[in-house]
Structures are given as structure tokens and as C-alpha cells.
Amino acid sequence: MTERELSCEEVLEQLFTYLDGEIDAAGSADIDRHLERCRDCYTRAEFEKKLRLKTEQAGGFAPAPERLRARIRGLLDRY
Ligand SMILES: [Zn+2]
């Protein structure tokens, strides 16, 4: 099996799936590996994790997937 190198864009695209635990094991390992090397994506992932924790504690409110996608697009535009 060849190790796949993810770009930051790919990691951000899959970040929410990853955080939801809805990604397959191989995909999750790819992202883990990227996060170990990439400070920017690591910071982003930690931020989203904390944000999720907070919204869960605030009553289980989950933002609509469409809004998340729009946010990711916004993030990518900045890079
Ligand atoms: Zn990255």
C-alpha cells in the first residue's frame, strides 16, 4: 500500500467528515499524518474540535452541512 500525501485543501475538505468519525480508517490515517506535519491544518482541526465540543455542550446544535461547505470554500479562497 502506498502512502498518500494529502494536500492542505484535501485535508480541509475532509476535516468535518474526519471530526464526525465518518471517514474510513485509511482516510483518517492520511489526515492524522498530515496533521502531524502541518501546523496550519493541525491548528484548524483543533479549533474545529473545540468548537464542536462547545456546540455539543450548548445543546447538540449542529450547523447545517451546506453552511460548513460554504465555510470551507471561504477558507480555501483565502489561501
Ligand atoms: Zn496542511
Side-chain angles (χ1 to χ4, degrees):
M1 200 170 88
T2 32
E3 291 204 346
R4 224 163 76 73
E5 289 291 327
L6 292 180
S7 68
C8 292
E9 284 79 8
E10 285 174 311
V11 170
L12 287 178
E13 274 169 18
Q14 296 176 67
L15 188 59
F16 295 105
T17 320
Y18 169 78
L19 291 176
D20 283 339
E22 285 168 5
I23 198 161
D24 59 47
S28 174
D30 285 340
I31 292 181
D32 281 339
R33 207 163 46 241
H34 183 94
L35 294 182
E36 277 170 24
R37 286 181 297 115
C38 181
R39 191 83 207 149
D40 285 350
C41 291
Y42 179 80
T43 308
R44 171 79 53 209
E46 285 300 300
F47 175 78
E48 294 295 345
K49 252 189 241 173
K50 286 196 190 105
L51 203 68
R52 264 162 190 260
L53 221 59
K54 258 187 221 157
T55 50
E56 273 165 28
Q57 283 162 356
F61 168 77
E66 262 313 310
R67 280 201 358 240
L68 292 178
R69 271 197 279 276
R71 245 170 86 204
I72 296 171
R73 270 197 297 274
L75 289 172
L76 292 178
D77 286 346
R78 290 216 318 257
Y79 289 118

